[in-house]
């Protein structure tokens, strides 16, 4: 029994979704080079603006092909990859049986996900050693935003590796940390200097944030300086909205009329 190969990479995909993604990525970036904005591109291509932004931020279409070609993300099974490969090499190719064994190990997914995960292995492709899955964008973003003192050693090492390979990410890390310190220590007086430093580094990921800050910079400066917070007010507003949703339709005239008729 051959050892299973890893699921194919995004660059190897040639299904309908992959082809459409590559075509759409090329069109969006071509329009961006022509000087069109996100709103105009969304109107021309009949796409949502968030979709256009997602394509615009992707350096290549492969960055968008995060699925394995069957519409599923195998994240829940990554932790059991070594066990599945071992059992497969031992001759156990029954997905239902494998799923039952995984449930004893803590797996909470479906047998369908297991069947789809091992499906590429049935083709008898040459064995490929399993490589650790890189962190997702969400995980990497969380490591940038969290307090460095609260990072695990592996997370800190990954963050150091990312910033060492990319000067832009290194600058982004510094600016995010400076803003966090400014926010926690209430140093709103440093906001203008922080904005100028970010603009000098020309970081597109922070440019839109700065645009929003500039629209009401006095209020942002006050929020970073004064000890007051609108949190209690927002809490009361949220509670009031919850009560309104719970009571919606329960005191309308029809209901009151029925109660009066029953009382008679």
């Amino acid at each position: 029994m051959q050892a299973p190969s890893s699921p194919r990479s995004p660059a190897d995909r040639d299904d309908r979704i992959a082809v459409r993604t590559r075509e759409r990525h090329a069109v969006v970036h071509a329009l961006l080079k022509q000087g069109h904005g996100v709103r105009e591109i969304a109107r021309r291509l009949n796409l949502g603006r968030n979709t256009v932004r997602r394509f615009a931020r992707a350096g290549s279409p492969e960055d968008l092909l995060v699925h394995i070609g069957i519409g599923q993300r195998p994240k829940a099974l990554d932790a059991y990859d070594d066990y599945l490969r071992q059992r497969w090499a031992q001759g156990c190719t029954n997905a239902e049986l494998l799923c039952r064994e995984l449930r004893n190990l803590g797996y909470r997914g479906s047998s369908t996900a297991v069947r789809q995960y091992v499906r590429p292995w049935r083709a008898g492709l040459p064995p490929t050693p399993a490589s650790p899955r890189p962190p997702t964008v969400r995980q990497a973003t969380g490591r940038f935003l969290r307090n460095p003192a609260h990072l695990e050693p592996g997370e800190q090492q990954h963050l150091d590796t990312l910033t060492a390979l990319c000067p832009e990410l290194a600058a982004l890390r510094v600016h995010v940390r400076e803003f966090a310190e400014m926010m926690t220590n209430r140093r709103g007086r440093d906001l203008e200097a922080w904005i100028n430093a970010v603009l000098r580094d020309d970081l597109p990921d922070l440019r839109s944030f700065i645009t929003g800050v500039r629209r009401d910079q006095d209020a942002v400066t006050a929020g970073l300086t004064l000890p007051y917070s609108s949190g209690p007010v927002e809490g009361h507003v949220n509670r009031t909205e919850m009560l309104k949703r719970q009571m919606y339709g329960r005191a309308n005239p029809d209901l009151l009329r029925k109660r009066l008729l029953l009382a008679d």
Side-chain angles (χ1 to χ4, degrees), residues 4-5 7 68-70 72 88 95 112-125:
S5 62
I68 61 175
I70 55 177
Q72 300 290 332
W88 192 274
T112 301
V114 176
R115 187 178 301 108
Q116 292 172 338
Y117 192 85
V118 302
R119 181 179 297 169
W121 302 353
R122 301 187 186 278
L125 300 176

Side-chain angles (χ1 to χ4, degrees), residues 9-134:
S9 65
D12 297 330
R13 289 184 52 183
D14 56 359
D15 54 279
R16 178 177 57 84
I17 295 177
V19 173
R20 185 183 65 185
T21 299
R22 293 188 179 99
E23 293 176 349
R24 187 171 289 174
H25 181 273
V27 172
V28 168
H29 279 263
L31 291 173
L32 287 172
K33 289 182 179 179
Q34 294 174 13
H36 298 288
V38 170
R39 187 189 299 271
E40 174 64 17
I41 296 174
R43 186 187 65 79
R44 287 194 175 199
L45 302 181
N46 195 25
L47 297 173
R49 278 181 284 178
N50 287 337
T51 301
V52 173
R53 291 190 186 98
R54 184 162 56 89
F55 276 86
R57 290 169 182 167
S60 68
E62 279 66 33
D63 295 338
L64 300 167
L65 298 173
V66 294
H67 297 78
I68 61 175
I70 55 177
Q72 300 290 332
R73 293 176 185 259
K75 293 180 181 178
L77 286 165
D78 285 345
Y80 307 99
D81 184 82
D82 291 340
Y83 179 83
L84 285 172
R85 289 174 179 274
Q86 178 183 353
R87 295 291 290 126
W88 192 274
Q90 293 171 353
C92 181
T93 60
N94 187 304
E96 292 291 339
L97 178 58
L98 290 171
C99 182
R100 287 197 294 269
E101 294 179 4
L102 291 181
R103 290 190 188 282
N104 294 331
L105 299 176
Y107 175 62
R108 294 293 180 266
S110 65
S111 59
T112 301
V114 176
R115 187 178 301 108
Q116 292 172 338
Y117 192 85
V118 302
R119 181 179 297 169
W121 302 353
R122 301 187 186 278
L125 300 176
T128 303
S131 58
R133 176 176 290 273

